[in-house]
Amino acid sequence: MQVEFKNEAFTNFSLPENKKAFEEALAKVESELGLEYDLIIGGERIKTEKKSRSINPSNKEQVVGVVSQADQALAEKAIQVAASTFETWKKVPGTSRSRYLTKAAAILRRRKHEFSAWLVKEAGKSWAEADADTAEAIDFMEYYARQMDKLSQRHDLPRIPDEDNELYYVPLGVGIVIPPWNFPLAIMVGMTTAALVAGNTVVLKPASTTPVIAAKFMEILEDAGVPAGVVNFVPGSGSEIGDYLVEHIQTRFISFTGSRDVGLRINELAAKHRPGQKWMKRLVAEMGGKDSIVVDSDCDIELAAQSIVASAFGFSGQKCSACSRAIVHQDVYDQVLNRVAELTNSLTVGDIRSNEFYTGPVVDDKAYNKILEYIEIGKTEGKLVAGGEKGPETGYFIKPTVFADVAPDARIMQEEIFGPVVAFCKANDFDHAMEIANNTEYGLTGAVISRNRANLERAREEFHVGNLYFNRKCTGALVGVHPFGGFNMSGTDSKAGGPDYLLLFTQAKLVSEKL
Ligand SMILES: NC(=O)c1ccc[n+]([C@@H]2O[C@H](COP(=O)([O-])OP(=O)(O)OC[C@H]3O[C@@H](n4cnc5c(N)ncnc54)[C@H](O)[C@@H]3O)[C@@H](O)[C@H]2O)c1
Ligand SMILES: N[C@@H](CCC=O)C(=O)O
């Protein structure tokens, strides 16, 4: 019997032994930088001529790994292997499939610091953010293993005379898993292992900026004994193989996490029926956010400021859950703004390999240029009170930035920037604050900082987001504790890490036997 699910503890890096262990993991990873990674299809490692170089965003000169890129012929091969492997994998009992996840979680736990060190190098995560990403990956596997065990139990239905009725959850088929780069381990692992434990086979197209960490995870699946062909590793550009995989008639479902625009495109392509296609493709799409923290007049000012800073600038604001809008009651506006500016100015920016810096880089040149453009827009839409400029130019560093007095409909209040930028907007009263909070097309996370019970109850009903937090930050959902997913243009509200998630990768079959 499984022991009860418990979230993986975060590492306390103030303890010398943990700091030393992490330094050793970083040194090990540094000795492996620049290696080549192949496609893996049906267990076979395949090198291609076309390669992409994964770069350390803290140090633009450092190559993390060189990764073979799939073309459409190899994408086709991956789908065919996944389709034939599905015929055997779907027959493996759910309780056996779940054991592969428990085993993989145990292996990842043993290699925890090593994987976190890869996250520091490839994604530019701070030690603490990397450690949390790895812990979440372990949690997803532990949690989905238990959920699969539950789903495999007999589901009896109300009995009618002379009939035995039962509901089964059977897998769907071949799934395309397309994860984002910002939680390159946790979200990629969660999406992939949920699909496979439910009995499907997977073509995994990792995010183009973070393929090495995904290649390292393939080692763990192999070590855990997951049969060849259950997960096929196919790095490649979205434009080269993305549409091909999504449009393929043997693709049964697509599990996507990423931006609104790519999600909408996949939704459109997946909806089109093509000759020979026997099903409507299922799409699970988790997309962007434009998340607000609302600060009420009766509140703990320090808590409000700390929550805004942690939610806006953790991992340089590159979380779909990040606070990019602070909507503050006019009575406490100046106090909260001043304290946030003070805290923001104290954040240190630099190569995140060293644990002395809080703010690392943004992920690549594309993100860097886009965020700097938004900072220029911000200068025309509000008053710059902190940051607003580049950090050291050895990497993609941008100083945490705060704009004050921004109008509710300004571009920096509406468009996802996905970087270390937060806009302050003044609310006349709580009604006004709720109205502003709901005025974007997104609906992912939000928080309210208030001591007023009636206002919290109101927000519970009116603040239209998938993950709503009171008197805390709006980032950092824990698997099992805070099932995660958003409303409106934030996606299909799939609630990753929640009790219903695996159902998305199954279909229910009723069997009724006349007695
Ligand atoms: N809601 C959530 O749970 C959640 C979690 C993490 C990130 N996000 C969102 O993800 C975005 C950041 O991630 P990103 O920059 O990797 O997003 P993105 O949309 O650029 O890319 C996501 C994935 O889609 C792939 N892709 C790109 N074009 C494609 C195409 N035409 N066909 C198929 N695949 C294609 C990319 O290679 C990547 O693997 C932000 O908008 C963020 O809010 C959402
Ligand atoms: N689940 C994460 C966000 C994932 C998206 O970037 C959080 O709750 O902060």
Side-chain angles (χ1 to χ4, degrees), residues 136 182-183 187 318-321 418 445 469 474-477 484:
E136 189 176 3
N182 73 326
F183 279 77
I187 294 184
Q318 301 173 106
K319 300 184 188 183
C320 56
S321 52
F418 220 57
T445 75
Y469 302 101
C474 61
T475 54
F484 190 81

Side-chain angles (χ1 to χ4, degrees), residues 478-493:
L478 288 172
V479 171
V481 179
H482 311 116
F484 190 81
F487 299 161
N488 296 345
M489 277 300 150
S490 292
T492 50
D493 191 39

Side-chain angles (χ1 to χ4, degrees), residues 159-196:
R159 192 69 187 258
I160 58 171
D162 302 332
E163 268 188 22
D164 176 26
N165 293 309
E166 198 182 349
L167 201 64
Y168 301 86
Y169 292 90
V170 300
L172 295 170
V174 175
I176 311 299
V177 172
I178 307 177
W181 55 263
N182 73 326
F183 279 77
L185 187 59
I187 294 184
M188 181 271 301
V189 166
M191 293 168 74
T192 305
T193 60
L196 80 86

